[in-house]
Amino acid sequence: MQGIYEWIDSIPLTRPKKNITRDFADGVPMAEAIKFFVPGLVDMHNYVPAHSVKQKIGNWNTLNVKVFKKMGFQLAPQDIEAVVNCVPDAIERVLKLVQIKIEEFKFGIESEPVRMVKPPEPRVDLQQMQFENPRMPTDTREESIQNMRETIEILELKVKKLEHMLKIKDNKVETLTKRLADAGLY
């Protein structure tokens, strides 16, 4: 989660950041964050700072239809409600997904469409799996597993970006080699 907080801190938002769960509830900072990375994708006049649940949901639905859909995913209504109602860790899950999707969108990386943010996986009773570590509480193990999953997602995204860049480089080399051959220099 620290990586998500650092990512958000790197974005110049119009409102000061106090409590990420409440700050993002109306969707305006999310629109600003996406606009920062992909300026042509977001029209800020569509998003109004809101206090009512109805208007907050309206802002998120607008993001869902006008922005997220273009980026290749959409949030499920229950995920929007969780963010609007400030459910713990809901905005962090959405921010992680959006961070990944922004990178994919910026670099033109195609991925399988995502219709919703996955709900948190049910807790597994690690004691039944015969690898209990009495020095490490279950919550810490689960946090560690989640952090590892997030790291894997980021690394997979980086691999996709590098593969994409390699294809671009190969195409450029091929084009330049062809030009040299056409000019009789190769």
Side-chain angles (χ1 to χ4, degrees), residues 96-111:
K96 182 67 181 167
L97 175 64
V98 169
Q99 181 186 30
I100 290 168
K101 292 300 180 179
I102 285 173
E103 291 299 313
E104 289 177 354
F105 188 81
K106 280 176 29 182
F107 291 98
I109 298 170
E110 293 186 20
S111 63

Side-chain angles (χ1 to χ4, degrees), residues 4 7-8 10-13 24 27-42 60 63 67-75 91-112 114 153-154 157-158 160-161 164:
I4 291 295
W7 181 67
I8 289 301
S10 73
I11 302 168
L13 300 175
F24 278 78
V28 174
M30 178 64 76
E32 290 178 350
I34 296 169
K35 185 167 183 72
F36 178 74
F37 291 104
V38 191
L41 200 58
V42 177
W60 279 97
L63 274 169
V67 179
F68 296 159
K69 189 172 184 178
K70 291 177 185 173
M71 294 173 68
F73 74 103
Q74 288 190 283
L75 299 178
I91 189 60
E92 286 86 352
R93 286 193 313 271
V94 170
L95 284 168
K96 182 67 181 167
L97 175 64
V98 169
Q99 181 186 30
I100 290 168
K101 292 300 180 179
I102 285 173
E103 291 299 313
E104 289 177 354
F105 188 81
K106 280 176 29 182
F107 291 98
I109 298 170
E110 293 186 20
S111 63
E112 304 219 357
V114 177
E153 287 177 15
I154 291 169
L157 177 61
K158 287 181 179 182
K160 286 181 182 180
K161 279 195 281 190
H164 181 71

Side-chain angles (χ1 to χ4, degrees), residues 3 38 64 72 80 89 98 111 118 164 166:
V38 191
N64 226 10
I80 291 173
D89 297 331
V98 169
S111 63
K118 287 193 316 189
H164 181 71
L166 186 59

Side-chain angles (χ1 to χ4, degrees), residues 105-144:
F105 188 81
K106 280 176 29 182
F107 291 98
I109 298 170
E110 293 186 20
S111 63
E112 304 219 357
V114 177
R115 296 277 178 231
M116 66 180 82
V117 173
K118 287 193 316 189
E121 294 183 16
R123 293 197 165 192
V124 176
D125 185 358
L126 297 176
Q127 293 176 352
Q128 290 180 350
M129 297 177 73
Q130 303 296 321
F131 57 95
E132 179 179 342
N133 181 344
R135 294 176 304 230
M136 187 179 217
T138 303
D139 287 345
T140 304
R141 283 185 286 214
E142 289 175 8
E143 287 175 19
S144 179

